[in-house]
Amino acid sequence: MVRASLWLAMAATMTMIGVLLSSSIAFASDDVQRGEKLFTRCQACHSLVKGVNKSGPSLFGIADRQSAAVEGYRYSKAMEGAGVVWNEENLKSFLASPRKFIPGVKMSFAIRKQEELDDLVAFLQAQSHE
């Protein structure tokens, strides 16, 4: 009877560890759908349509693009001189603190939560490769 109880306790513990590990792996992955919802915060200033600029440039094809490369948009001198390629790391750093990443840029809106940064950047990258 004691052995059966120990075995059941071990089996329950192993099952719980498996559930925790699988949920943390799922949680750690970038979620494009959540990123799309987060992008609604950006839509007041940015478009995902090529050539459609608002108070901020179009983000169409942003992934792996050179900074200040959207034709027809008037960038700040700071952004024009930044020489940044919008890879995953640079996008996350910029979105977390635009004026810290490139002092003198116009954009002040920031996303502080790492999970939100991961999701938003995953969404932007997915849009750039469709």
Side-chain angles (χ1 to χ4, degrees):
M1 190 70 150
V2 172
R3 274 191 169 160
S5 294
L6 284 174
W7 188 86
L8 285 173
M10 285 178 38
T13 301
M14 295 305 285
T15 300
M16 185 58 90
I17 289 171
V19 167
L20 289 173
L21 285 175
S22 66
S23 66
S24 67
I25 290 168
F27 182 75
S29 68
D30 302 337
D31 188 322
V32 174
Q33 288 180 329
R34 281 195 312 247
E36 183 176 16
K37 289 177 186 170
L38 289 166
F39 186 74
T40 60
R41 299 179 191 174
C42 310
Q43 287 178 322
C45 299
H46 296 281
S47 165
L48 285 173
V49 178
K50 185 175 184 176
V52 176
N53 298 316
K54 295 182 176 183
S55 60
S58 170
L59 299 181
F60 175 84
I62 186 90
D64 300 319
R65 182 174 75 201
Q66 184 71 33
S67 59
V70 173
E71 288 190 35
Y73 183 76
R74 188 172 174 193
Y75 290 96
S76 66
K77 293 205 182 289
M79 186 61 82
E80 287 177 353
V84 172
V85 173
W86 295 123
N87 60 29
E88 181 178 357
E89 180 182 347
N90 288 338
L91 278 169
K92 288 178 183 179
S93 295
F94 180 74
L95 292 170
S97 184
R99 291 182 175 174
K100 183 177 178 184
F101 188 75
I102 303 174
V105 296
K106 297 176 190 176
M107 186 166 142
S108 61
F109 179 80
I111 297 182
R112 305 276 188 236
K113 294 180 181 177
Q114 187 63 50
E115 181 183 359
E116 290 181 351
L117 284 169
D118 295 342
D119 296 341
L120 180 57
V121 170
F123 171 71
L124 291 171
Q125 289 178 317
Q127 301 310 301
S128 294
H129 299 293
E130 288 186 346

